[in-house]
Amino acid sequence: MRTHLDTHLTDPLAVVRNLGILAHVDAGKTTLTERMLYATGSTHKRGEVHDGTTVTDFDPQERDRGITIFAAAVSCAWDGHRINLIDTPGHVDFADEVERSLRVLDGAVAVFDAVAGVEPQSESVWRQADRHAVPRIAFVNKLDRAGADLDTAVASIRARLHPAPLVVQLPIGTEDGFTGVVDLLRMRALVWADGDDGAQEGPVPVDLREEADRRRRALEEAVAELHAGALDEFCARSALSAATLAAALRDLTRSGDGVVVLCGSAYRNRGIEPLLDAVVAYLPSPLDVPAVRGTHDGVPQERSADPAAPLAALVFKVNATPTGRLTYLRVYSGTIGKGDAVMDAGARRTERIGRILRVQADRRTPLERAVAGDIVAVVGLKSARAGSTLCAPEAPLVLEPPGVAEPVVSVAVEARRGTDTDRLASALGRLAEEDPSLVVRTDPETGQTVLSGMGELHLEVAVETLRRTHGLDVGVGRPRVAHRETVVRGVCGLVFRHVKQDGGAGQFAHVVLDVEPMGPVDPDGSAPVGGGGDGGGGFEFRSAVVGGSVPREYVRAVEAGCRDALADGPLGGHPVTGLRVTLTDGATHVKDSSDTAFRTAGRLALREALRACAMVLLEPVAEVTVTVPEDTVGSVLGDLAARRGRVTGSTVRAGSAVVGATVPLAELFGYATRLRSRTQGRGTFTARPTGYAPVPASDPVTGSTR
């Protein structure tokens, strides 16, 4: 095993790889991570998900549920390189954890099931990586399963994710007979025997030689089409050397123009070493990615990955442990040492680093310092939150924080013992600090404490954490979804005058508004509206004022007032979305007009306009993929119809039926239990929020269901 770190390489950053493992639930991310740790000598025993012995799934809830809930960072060494790995969750409820991880990573390995191919959450995390421009290589896992087919999985990658898949391996054997791969770059066979840790290298088997030659030729042609340097050599020699092919694959991976595809079986420890070689060969080091961009007093700045540059680091995770508060961060530039003073640029507060730790899941190794390119945890920071920028006090910089998804499901929580009320408030505050996608608020009408998150499982995990970690006996109300309201028919020329005179300076503002929907709304609820969870495309404000009847500074105040009015709509006090407001005219008073007056006028005018508009109530909907035995399809389809689901497709794959449907999120509470009972425990499903749709059979004015 190649586990030593080379010391002859001149730049230490060139041998660092920061990557994440991305995939759908049960594609084998955690098992793959465990095998990578084992292959590199970081662990001496293979951890198993089903035994609860994995390094990265160390939380008791993860081991009980058999899924990854929290992103876990580990480090290992391979072929003279240090690999910092983050094993990310695959369940859609924890997509925000993936988002924060992708923000600080330089590359990723996307894992796909060789039977299922691209699954819904595979697509979601792929799009997340696209947004962050993270280079990826693909690993088609579980080739030893019945029905596994590399070509079918690659076809689904090409069709649903739209990259150019560049397959560099040919499987040896199929399903249970899968024993190894043919390396198409070096035209050699790698075979793993049961019980052996390493691969046996040899010539390409005779019966696969013709197929290997054909696939090597197809790989060369695909690379030549995408890479100018490879095209020159291909035209000159009608072939590509292994060195040219490897260099071109590296360039295409880092530019995002191609995705190298490898295959194997993580559970049976087959294909791990070639994957590690590919990580080192194709994914970028901190030196290969663009300089990080930030701002200081509104002025854009860049910081390169230079240990001698001023410090710039981004916090992407906070974790409260029994031994102290751990702050996970990525160092983009500069050096951070034990005892150093650093500035939290957002809070404008200077703090001191107590300790620096190299993290191995739940184990930590003390470090004296961390340099650009490192992913470490520090102890001693009190104000830093996920998304905070840590920088040198003499060189302030604010980096763009990771985006935070909008919660879609809420439950009411209360302490069963009155004496635990303060402890519950403190524990909820700590939960929200560790996971920004959890939102805690007090309902102004009922006085209840409401916990909001990304899904039913997300909230179940949070409540269980309150019980296990904080020792609280809490009661939980029925989950509720976050509704929205939108406009289906607007109003034009609504005139509103705000006049207030109560002694001293008065208030005067005169505005004329047009209100209209931003996009199509289907009142019968047969099609989703909007995307990304905003309900209908958000809010747009325009000014069509001519002649200066409303000065520019007052136009901004009117827009601010309109945004204030969006917080609670006329149907049920839900946020309003999916509308366009145009300020067409207005008037001012020489003494009594002010920003405050026009902001108040904007707020009250839009509220009056919304009461005059035709409105509709929106509910969140989810794209559901249900996998069930063929003999239970009828029962499952009937149940989906009863839950107001709209079936979008159905396919048969490896003896199972896969049904796609769009279902209101409120109808999915408790669906897992119902599905298991209808399929004798053999059915599974995944759901991901896709937007909002009108509540069916609703009155467009009142939103009440008839």
Side-chain angles (χ1 to χ4, degrees), residues 434-481:
E434 295 184 4
D435 184 354
S437 61
L438 286 172
V439 175
V440 182
R441 64 181 177 86
T442 301
D443 190 304
E445 295 183 3
T446 65
Q448 290 179 306
T449 300
V450 178
L451 179 64
S452 303
M454 300 306 299
E456 191 176 12
L457 179 60
H458 191 202
L459 295 180
E460 281 181 15
V461 168
V463 170
E464 189 64 20
T465 301
L466 292 175
R467 290 169 176 157
R468 288 191 183 192
T469 305
H470 300 279
L472 290 166
D473 183 12
V474 294
V476 181
R478 176 174 167 77
R480 295 178 297 174
V481 298

mmCIF file of all heavy atoms in Angstrom, residues 434-481:
data_model
loop_
_atom_site.group_PDB
_atom_site.id
_atom_site.type_symbol
_atom_site.label_atom_id
_atom_site.label_comp_id
_atom_site.label_asym_id
_atom_site.label_seq_id
_atom_site.Cartn_x
_atom_site.Cartn_y
_atom_site.Cartn_z
ATOM 1 N N GLU A 434 -25.872 24.983 15.119
ATOM 2 C CA GLU A 434 -25.138 23.924 14.432
ATOM 3 C C GLU A 434 -25.693 23.660 13.034
ATOM 4 O O GLU A 434 -24.946 23.274 12.132
ATOM 5 C CB GLU A 434 -25.183 22.640 15.264
ATOM 6 C CG GLU A 434 -24.471 22.739 16.594
ATOM 7 C CD GLU A 434 -24.462 21.428 17.342
ATOM 8 O OE1 GLU A 434 -24.936 20.421 16.793
ATOM 9 O OE2 GLU A 434 -23.979 21.402 18.491
ATOM 10 N N ASP A 435 -26.997 23.828 12.847
ATOM 11 C CA ASP A 435 -27.631 23.540 11.576
ATOM 12 C C ASP A 435 -28.458 24.749 11.154
ATOM 13 O O ASP A 435 -29.595 24.917 11.592
ATOM 14 C CB ASP A 435 -28.531 22.300 11.702
ATOM 15 C CG ASP A 435 -29.149 21.890 10.380
ATOM 16 O OD1 ASP A 435 -28.978 22.624 9.385
ATOM 17 O OD2 ASP A 435 -29.793 20.829 10.329
ATOM 18 N N PRO A 436 -27.922 25.626 10.295
ATOM 19 C CA PRO A 436 -28.650 26.846 9.913
ATOM 20 C C PRO A 436 -29.963 26.586 9.184
ATOM 21 O O PRO A 436 -30.789 27.496 9.084
ATOM 22 C CB PRO A 436 -27.656 27.562 8.986
ATOM 23 C CG PRO A 436 -26.315 27.011 9.339
ATOM 24 C CD PRO A 436 -26.561 25.588 9.737
ATOM 25 N N SER A 437 -30.179 25.363 8.663
ATOM 26 C CA SER A 437 -31.439 25.072 7.975
ATOM 27 C C SER A 437 -32.566 24.782 8.967
ATOM 28 O O SER A 437 -33.716 24.611 8.558
ATOM 29 C CB SER A 437 -31.278 23.907 6.996
ATOM 30 O OG SER A 437 -30.891 22.720 7.670
ATOM 31 N N LEU A 438 -32.255 24.701 10.255
ATOM 32 C CA LEU A 438 -33.277 24.623 11.292
ATOM 33 C C LEU A 438 -33.588 26.042 11.782
ATOM 34 O O LEU A 438 -32.672 26.808 12.085
ATOM 35 C CB LEU A 438 -32.796 23.779 12.477
ATOM 36 C CG LEU A 438 -32.750 22.263 12.290
ATOM 37 C CD1 LEU A 438 -32.065 21.615 13.487
ATOM 38 C CD2 LEU A 438 -34.149 21.680 12.102
ATOM 39 N N VAL A 439 -34.872 26.359 11.841
ATOM 40 C CA VAL A 439 -35.288 27.698 12.264
ATOM 41 C C VAL A 439 -36.211 27.552 13.468
ATOM 42 O O VAL A 439 -37.158 26.756 13.441
ATOM 43 C CB VAL A 439 -36.006 28.445 11.127
ATOM 44 C CG1 VAL A 439 -36.529 29.787 11.614
ATOM 45 C CG2 VAL A 439 -35.062 28.642 9.948
ATOM 46 N N VAL A 440 -35.931 28.299 14.510
ATOM 47 C CA VAL A 440 -36.747 28.287 15.724
ATOM 48 C C VAL A 440 -37.435 29.644 15.851
ATOM 49 O O VAL A 440 -36.790 30.688 15.733
ATOM 50 C CB VAL A 440 -35.888 28.020 16.977
ATOM 51 C CG1 VAL A 440 -36.760 27.972 18.219
ATOM 52 C CG2 VAL A 440 -35.107 26.720 16.827
ATOM 53 N N ARG A 441 -38.747 29.631 16.083
ATOM 54 C CA ARG A 441 -39.486 30.879 16.264
ATOM 55 C C ARG A 441 -40.646 30.634 17.236
ATOM 56 O O ARG A 441 -41.017 29.489 17.504
ATOM 57 C CB ARG A 441 -40.022 31.404 14.936
ATOM 58 C CG ARG A 441 -41.039 30.497 14.281
ATOM 59 C CD ARG A 441 -41.539 31.048 12.949
ATOM 60 N NE ARG A 441 -42.457 30.126 12.304
ATOM 61 C CZ ARG A 441 -43.764 30.090 12.546
ATOM 62 N NH1 ARG A 441 -44.292 30.948 13.432
ATOM 63 N NH2 ARG A 441 -44.542 29.229 11.933
ATOM 64 N N THR A 442 -41.200 31.696 17.724
ATOM 65 C CA THR A 442 -42.377 31.626 18.590
ATOM 66 C C THR A 442 -43.592 32.104 17.807
ATOM 67 O O THR A 442 -43.568 33.203 17.235
ATOM 68 C CB THR A 442 -42.190 32.498 19.840
ATOM 69 O OG1 THR A 442 -41.036 32.047 20.556
ATOM 70 C CG2 THR A 442 -43.405 32.407 20.750
ATOM 71 N N ASP A 443 -44.624 31.290 17.737
ATOM 72 C CA ASP A 443 -45.850 31.668 17.030
ATOM 73 C C ASP A 443 -46.516 32.809 17.791
ATOM 74 O O ASP A 443 -46.872 32.654 18.967
ATOM 75 C CB ASP A 443 -46.797 30.470 16.937
ATOM 76 C CG ASP A 443 -47.975 30.736 16.015
ATOM 77 O OD1 ASP A 443 -48.699 31.727 16.261
ATOM 78 O OD2 ASP A 443 -48.187 29.960 15.061
ATOM 79 N N PRO A 444 -46.709 33.973 17.148
ATOM 80 C CA PRO A 444 -47.266 35.124 17.879
ATOM 81 C C PRO A 444 -48.712 34.918 18.314
ATOM 82 O O PRO A 444 -49.177 35.579 19.252
ATOM 83 C CB PRO A 444 -47.159 36.267 16.859
ATOM 84 C CG PRO A 444 -47.085 35.595 15.521
ATOM 85 C CD PRO A 444 -46.392 34.293 15.750
ATOM 86 N N GLU A 445 -49.450 34.014 17.647
ATOM 87 C CA GLU A 445 -50.858 33.811 17.986
ATOM 88 C C GLU A 445 -51.034 32.793 19.106
ATOM 89 O O GLU A 445 -51.822 32.986 20.028
ATOM 90 C CB GLU A 445 -51.640 33.375 16.749
ATOM 91 C CG GLU A 445 -51.703 34.440 15.657
ATOM 92 C CD GLU A 445 -52.538 33.997 14.480
ATOM 93 O OE1 GLU A 445 -53.113 32.888 14.539
ATOM 94 O OE2 GLU A 445 -52.621 34.745 13.488
ATOM 95 N N THR A 446 -50.293 31.685 19.010
ATOM 96 C CA THR A 446 -50.480 30.603 19.980
ATOM 97 C C THR A 446 -49.452 30.611 21.092
ATOM 98 O O THR A 446 -49.649 29.960 22.118
ATOM 99 C CB THR A 446 -50.416 29.239 19.264
ATOM 100 O OG1 THR A 446 -49.093 29.049 18.733
ATOM 101 C CG2 THR A 446 -51.422 29.178 18.124
ATOM 102 N N GLY A 447 -48.334 31.322 20.881
ATOM 103 C CA GLY A 447 -47.272 31.312 21.874
ATOM 104 C C GLY A 447 -46.433 30.048 21.852
ATOM 105 O O GLY A 447 -45.532 29.882 22.681
ATOM 106 N N GLN A 448 -46.721 29.129 20.900
ATOM 107 C CA GLN A 448 -45.959 27.885 20.821
ATOM 108 C C GLN A 448 -44.567 28.126 20.246
ATOM 109 O O GLN A 448 -44.354 29.033 19.429
ATOM 110 C CB GLN A 448 -46.689 26.875 19.932
ATOM 111 C CG GLN A 448 -47.964 26.300 20.514
ATOM 112 C CD GLN A 448 -48.609 25.343 19.528
ATOM 113 O OE1 GLN A 448 -48.868 25.688 18.379
ATOM 114 N NE2 GLN A 448 -48.883 24.131 19.980
ATOM 115 N N THR A 449 -43.624 27.282 20.655
ATOM 116 C CA THR A 449 -42.302 27.277 20.053
ATOM 117 C C THR A 449 -42.347 26.378 18.823
ATOM 118 O O THR A 449 -42.699 25.202 18.922
ATOM 119 C CB THR A 449 -41.243 26.767 21.035
ATOM 120 O OG1 THR A 449 -41.220 27.624 22.181
ATOM 121 C CG2 THR A 449 -39.867 26.740 20.389
ATOM 122 N N VAL A 450 -42.005 26.927 17.669
ATOM 123 C CA VAL A 450 -42.127 26.210 16.402
ATOM 124 C C VAL A 450 -40.729 25.939 15.856
ATOM 125 O O VAL A 450 -39.901 26.847 15.738
ATOM 126 C CB VAL A 450 -42.949 27.016 15.378
ATOM 127 C CG1 VAL A 450 -43.022 26.279 14.049
ATOM 128 C CG2 VAL A 450 -44.354 27.277 15.924
ATOM 129 N N LEU A 451 -40.469 24.677 15.528
ATOM 130 C CA LEU A 451 -39.202 24.260 14.940
ATOM 131 C C LEU A 451 -39.454 23.917 13.477
ATOM 132 O O LEU A 451 -40.302 23.067 13.168
ATOM 133 C CB LEU A 451 -38.640 23.042 15.683
ATOM 134 C CG LEU A 451 -37.325 22.453 15.171
ATOM 135 C CD1 LEU A 451 -36.184 23.456 15.319
ATOM 136 C CD2 LEU A 451 -36.984 21.161 15.914
ATOM 137 N N SER A 452 -38.747 24.578 12.565
ATOM 138 C CA SER A 452 -38.939 24.374 11.129
ATOM 139 C C SER A 452 -37.675 23.787 10.515
ATOM 140 O O SER A 452 -36.555 24.139 10.912
ATOM 141 C CB SER A 452 -39.278 25.694 10.437
ATOM 142 O OG SER A 452 -40.424 26.286 11.012
ATOM 143 N N GLY A 453 -37.864 22.897 9.534
ATOM 144 C CA GLY A 453 -36.726 22.259 8.883
ATOM 145 C C GLY A 453 -37.056 21.845 7.468
ATOM 146 O O GLY A 453 -38.071 22.239 6.884
ATOM 147 N N MET A 454 -36.190 20.980 6.903
ATOM 148 C CA MET A 454 -36.263 20.628 5.492
ATOM 149 C C MET A 454 -37.132 19.416 5.209
ATOM 150 O O MET A 454 -37.327 19.060 4.050
ATOM 151 C CB MET A 454 -34.848 20.370 4.949
ATOM 152 C CG MET A 454 -33.930 21.571 5.064
ATOM 153 S SD MET A 454 -34.624 23.040 4.303
ATOM 154 C CE MET A 454 -34.785 22.465 2.623
ATOM 155 N N GLY A 455 -37.650 18.745 6.216
ATOM 156 C CA GLY A 455 -38.479 17.572 5.974
ATOM 157 C C GLY A 455 -38.792 16.858 7.277
ATOM 158 O O GLY A 455 -38.294 17.218 8.360
ATOM 159 N N GLU A 456 -39.622 15.839 7.157
ATOM 160 C CA GLU A 456 -40.066 15.107 8.336
ATOM 161 C C GLU A 456 -38.895 14.438 9.042
ATOM 162 O O GLU A 456 -38.765 14.496 10.274
ATOM 163 C CB GLU A 456 -41.109 14.061 7.912
ATOM 164 C CG GLU A 456 -41.847 13.413 9.059
ATOM 165 C CD GLU A 456 -42.930 12.456 8.583
ATOM 166 O OE1 GLU A 456 -42.970 12.130 7.387
ATOM 167 O OE2 GLU A 456 -43.738 12.035 9.418
ATOM 168 N N LEU A 457 -38.007 13.793 8.268
ATOM 169 C CA LEU A 457 -36.854 13.120 8.875
ATOM 170 C C LEU A 457 -35.916 14.126 9.533
ATOM 171 O O LEU A 457 -35.376 13.871 10.617
ATOM 172 C CB LEU A 457 -36.111 12.302 7.816
ATOM 173 C CG LEU A 457 -34.862 11.561 8.298
ATOM 174 C CD1 LEU A 457 -35.209 10.576 9.410
ATOM 175 C CD2 LEU A 457 -34.179 10.840 7.132
ATOM 176 N N HIS A 458 -35.726 15.259 8.901
ATOM 177 C CA HIS A 458 -34.878 16.311 9.460
ATOM 178 C C HIS A 458 -35.359 16.701 10.856
ATOM 179 O O HIS A 458 -34.565 16.807 11.809
ATOM 180 C CB HIS A 458 -34.919 17.518 8.515
ATOM 181 C CG HIS A 458 -33.910 18.578 8.823
ATOM 182 N ND1 HIS A 458 -34.039 19.888 8.418
ATOM 183 C CD2 HIS A 458 -32.746 18.537 9.518
ATOM 184 C CE1 HIS A 458 -33.005 20.583 8.833
ATOM 185 N NE2 HIS A 458 -32.209 19.792 9.506
ATOM 186 N N LEU A 459 -36.673 16.893 10.997
ATOM 187 C CA LEU A 459 -37.226 17.290 12.290
ATOM 188 C C LEU A 459 -37.189 16.131 13.284
ATOM 189 O O LEU A 459 -36.967 16.344 14.486
ATOM 190 C CB LEU A 459 -38.649 17.801 12.117
ATOM 191 C CG LEU A 459 -38.782 19.090 11.287
ATOM 192 C CD1 LEU A 459 -40.238 19.515 11.188
ATOM 193 C CD2 LEU A 459 -37.953 20.214 11.903
ATOM 194 N N GLU A 460 -37.405 14.904 12.804
ATOM 195 C CA GLU A 460 -37.301 13.739 13.695
ATOM 196 C C GLU A 460 -35.910 13.659 14.315
ATOM 197 O O GLU A 460 -35.755 13.398 15.517
ATOM 198 C CB GLU A 460 -37.585 12.456 12.914
ATOM 199 C CG GLU A 460 -39.055 12.175 12.658
ATOM 200 C CD GLU A 460 -39.226 10.865 11.909
ATOM 201 O OE1 GLU A 460 -38.255 10.067 11.862
ATOM 202 O OE2 GLU A 460 -40.321 10.634 11.364
ATOM 203 N N VAL A 461 -34.888 13.861 13.492
ATOM 204 C CA VAL A 461 -33.508 13.803 13.984
ATOM 205 C C VAL A 461 -33.262 14.914 14.999
ATOM 206 O O VAL A 461 -32.629 14.700 16.046
ATOM 207 C CB VAL A 461 -32.517 13.898 12.797
ATOM 208 C CG1 VAL A 461 -31.099 14.126 13.296
ATOM 209 C CG2 VAL A 461 -32.583 12.636 11.948
ATOM 210 N N ALA A 462 -33.765 16.123 14.715
ATOM 211 C CA ALA A 462 -33.561 17.242 15.639
ATOM 212 C C ALA A 462 -34.230 16.975 16.985
ATOM 213 O O ALA A 462 -33.639 17.215 18.049
ATOM 214 C CB ALA A 462 -34.111 18.531 15.017
ATOM 215 N N VAL A 463 -35.457 16.472 16.965
ATOM 216 C CA VAL A 463 -36.170 16.185 18.216
ATOM 217 C C VAL A 463 -35.477 15.068 18.988
ATOM 218 O O VAL A 463 -35.350 15.127 20.217
ATOM 219 C CB VAL A 463 -37.643 15.827 17.918
ATOM 220 C CG1 VAL A 463 -38.328 15.301 19.171
ATOM 221 C CG2 VAL A 463 -38.388 17.041 17.374
ATOM 222 N N GLU A 464 -35.004 14.056 18.259
ATOM 223 C CA GLU A 464 -34.296 12.967 18.930
ATOM 224 C C GLU A 464 -32.998 13.469 19.566
ATOM 225 O O GLU A 464 -32.581 12.993 20.627
ATOM 226 C CB GLU A 464 -34.003 11.844 17.928
ATOM 227 C CG GLU A 464 -33.475 10.567 18.551
ATOM 228 C CD GLU A 464 -34.469 9.893 19.482
ATOM 229 O OE1 GLU A 464 -35.685 10.171 19.373
ATOM 230 O OE2 GLU A 464 -34.035 9.088 20.329
ATOM 231 N N THR A 465 -32.346 14.442 18.926
ATOM 232 C CA THR A 465 -31.146 15.038 19.511
ATOM 233 C C THR A 465 -31.484 15.757 20.813
ATOM 234 O O THR A 465 -30.720 15.695 21.790
ATOM 235 C CB THR A 465 -30.500 16.022 18.515
ATOM 236 O OG1 THR A 465 -30.159 15.323 17.316
ATOM 237 C CG2 THR A 465 -29.252 16.660 19.102
ATOM 238 N N LEU A 466 -32.632 16.444 20.840
ATOM 239 C CA LEU A 466 -33.058 17.093 22.085
ATOM 240 C C LEU A 466 -33.213 16.067 23.196
ATOM 241 O O LEU A 466 -32.847 16.318 24.354
ATOM 242 C CB LEU A 466 -34.386 17.818 21.873
ATOM 243 C CG LEU A 466 -34.376 19.051 20.962
ATOM 244 C CD1 LEU A 466 -35.799 19.566 20.758
ATOM 245 C CD2 LEU A 466 -33.503 20.148 21.553
ATOM 246 N N ARG A 467 -33.736 14.897 22.838
ATOM 247 C CA ARG A 467 -33.986 13.876 23.855
ATOM 248 C C ARG A 467 -32.700 13.175 24.282
ATOM 249 O O ARG A 467 -32.456 12.972 25.466
ATOM 250 C CB ARG A 467 -34.995 12.862 23.311
ATOM 251 C CG ARG A 467 -36.402 13.434 23.158
ATOM 252 C CD ARG A 467 -37.313 12.508 22.385
ATOM 253 N NE ARG A 467 -38.686 13.034 22.330
ATOM 254 C CZ ARG A 467 -39.574 12.709 21.410
ATOM 255 N NH1 ARG A 467 -39.249 11.854 20.448
ATOM 256 N NH2 ARG A 467 -40.783 13.228 21.431
ATOM 257 N N ARG A 468 -31.887 12.799 23.319
ATOM 258 C CA ARG A 468 -30.687 12.008 23.636
ATOM 259 C C ARG A 468 -29.559 12.870 24.184
ATOM 260 O O ARG A 468 -28.980 12.576 25.233
ATOM 261 C CB ARG A 468 -30.199 11.278 22.376
ATOM 262 C CG ARG A 468 -31.079 10.128 21.937
ATOM 263 C CD ARG A 468 -30.342 9.348 20.867
ATOM 264 N NE ARG A 468 -31.141 8.253 20.338
ATOM 265 C CZ ARG A 468 -30.656 7.283 19.566
ATOM 266 N NH1 ARG A 468 -29.385 7.277 19.249
ATOM 267 N NH2 ARG A 468 -31.437 6.332 19.119
ATOM 268 N N THR A 469 -29.210 13.902 23.435
ATOM 269 C CA THR A 469 -28.030 14.694 23.775
ATOM 270 C C THR A 469 -28.288 15.637 24.929
ATOM 271 O O THR A 469 -27.439 15.826 25.807
ATOM 272 C CB THR A 469 -27.554 15.487 22.537
ATOM 273 O OG1 THR A 469 -27.350 14.577 21.453
ATOM 274 C CG2 THR A 469 -26.272 16.236 22.836
ATOM 275 N N HIS A 470 -29.479 16.245 24.943
ATOM 276 C CA HIS A 470 -29.774 17.256 25.957
ATOM 277 C C HIS A 470 -30.630 16.728 27.097
ATOM 278 O O HIS A 470 -30.904 17.460 28.056
ATOM 279 C CB HIS A 470 -30.449 18.464 25.302
ATOM 280 C CG HIS A 470 -29.616 19.122 24.242
ATOM 281 N ND1 HIS A 470 -28.605 20.014 24.530
ATOM 282 C CD2 HIS A 470 -29.619 18.989 22.883
ATOM 283 C CE1 HIS A 470 -28.039 20.422 23.406
ATOM 284 N NE2 HIS A 470 -28.631 19.815 22.394
ATOM 285 N N GLY A 471 -31.074 15.476 27.002
ATOM 286 C CA GLY A 471 -31.823 14.856 28.083
ATOM 287 C C GLY A 471 -33.155 15.510 28.374
ATOM 288 O O GLY A 471 -33.583 15.555 29.532
ATOM 289 N N LEU A 472 -33.815 16.017 27.318
ATOM 290 C CA LEU A 472 -35.080 16.721 27.506
ATOM 291 C C LEU A 472 -36.254 15.827 27.126
ATOM 292 O O LEU A 472 -36.212 15.120 26.117
ATOM 293 C CB LEU A 472 -35.113 17.988 26.636
ATOM 294 C CG LEU A 472 -34.177 19.118 27.071
ATOM 295 C CD1 LEU A 472 -34.038 20.148 25.961
ATOM 296 C CD2 LEU A 472 -34.705 19.779 28.338
ATOM 297 N N ASP A 473 -37.292 15.877 27.927
ATOM 298 C CA ASP A 473 -38.539 15.184 27.609
ATOM 299 C C ASP A 473 -39.445 16.201 26.914
ATOM 300 O O ASP A 473 -39.978 17.108 27.555
ATOM 301 C CB ASP A 473 -39.195 14.658 28.887
ATOM 302 C CG ASP A 473 -40.461 13.851 28.600
ATOM 303 O OD1 ASP A 473 -40.696 13.519 27.418
ATOM 304 O OD2 ASP A 473 -41.212 13.574 29.554
ATOM 305 N N VAL A 474 -39.580 16.085 25.581
ATOM 306 C CA VAL A 474 -40.313 17.090 24.819
ATOM 307 C C VAL A 474 -41.529 16.467 24.153
ATOM 308 O O VAL A 474 -41.535 15.297 23.763
ATOM 309 C CB VAL A 474 -39.415 17.744 23.745
ATOM 310 C CG1 VAL A 474 -38.308 18.546 24.400
ATOM 311 C CG2 VAL A 474 -38.834 16.715 22.794
ATOM 312 N N GLY A 475 -42.579 17.272 24.028
ATOM 313 C CA GLY A 475 -43.761 16.897 23.269
ATOM 314 C C GLY A 475 -43.710 17.565 21.912
ATOM 315 O O GLY A 475 -43.225 18.687 21.771
ATOM 316 N N VAL A 476 -44.218 16.867 20.892
ATOM 317 C CA VAL A 476 -44.129 17.361 19.518
ATOM 318 C C VAL A 476 -45.518 17.375 18.902
ATOM 319 O O VAL A 476 -46.246 16.376 18.959
ATOM 320 C CB VAL A 476 -43.186 16.473 18.665
ATOM 321 C CG1 VAL A 476 -43.093 17.007 17.246
ATOM 322 C CG2 VAL A 476 -41.806 16.413 19.297
ATOM 323 N N GLY A 477 -45.891 18.515 18.307
ATOM 324 C CA GLY A 477 -47.168 18.628 17.606
ATOM 325 C C GLY A 477 -47.083 18.067 16.204
ATOM 326 O O GLY A 477 -46.000 17.787 15.688
ATOM 327 N N ARG A 478 -48.223 17.891 15.560
ATOM 328 C CA ARG A 478 -48.272 17.356 14.206
ATOM 329 C C ARG A 478 -47.509 18.280 13.248
ATOM 330 O O ARG A 478 -47.641 19.503 13.306
ATOM 331 C CB ARG A 478 -49.717 17.223 13.739
ATOM 332 C CG ARG A 478 -49.845 16.769 12.293
ATOM 333 C CD ARG A 478 -51.282 16.511 11.887
ATOM 334 N NE ARG A 478 -51.411 16.366 10.450
ATOM 335 C CZ ARG A 478 -51.069 15.281 9.763
ATOM 336 N NH1 ARG A 478 -50.569 14.243 10.405
ATOM 337 N NH2 ARG A 478 -51.217 15.219 8.461
ATOM 338 N N PRO A 479 -46.720 17.708 12.352
ATOM 339 C CA PRO A 479 -45.982 18.553 11.398
ATOM 340 C C PRO A 479 -46.927 19.395 10.547
ATOM 341 O O PRO A 479 -48.020 18.965 10.179
ATOM 342 C CB PRO A 479 -45.229 17.527 10.529
ATOM 343 C CG PRO A 479 -45.167 16.294 11.359
ATOM 344 C CD PRO A 479 -46.413 16.283 12.177
ATOM 345 N N ARG A 480 -46.487 20.606 10.238
ATOM 346 C CA ARG A 480 -47.233 21.494 9.363
ATOM 347 C C ARG A 480 -46.318 21.984 8.257
ATOM 348 O O ARG A 480 -45.112 22.168 8.476
ATOM 349 C CB ARG A 480 -47.785 22.689 10.138
ATOM 350 C CG ARG A 480 -48.821 22.325 11.199
ATOM 351 C CD ARG A 480 -49.269 23.551 11.943
ATOM 352 N NE ARG A 480 -48.137 24.157 12.667
ATOM 353 C CZ ARG A 480 -48.216 25.309 13.314
ATOM 354 N NH1 ARG A 480 -49.328 25.995 13.308
ATOM 355 N NH2 ARG A 480 -47.169 25.786 13.957
ATOM 356 N N VAL A 481 -46.896 22.192 7.076
ATOM 357 C CA VAL A 481 -46.093 22.670 5.952
ATOM 358 C C VAL A 481 -46.184 24.183 5.870
ATOM 359 O O VAL A 481 -47.096 24.805 6.412
ATOM 360 C CB VAL A 481 -46.547 22.038 4.618
ATOM 361 C CG1 VAL A 481 -46.362 20.541 4.652
ATOM 362 C CG2 VAL A 481 -47.997 22.395 4.311
#
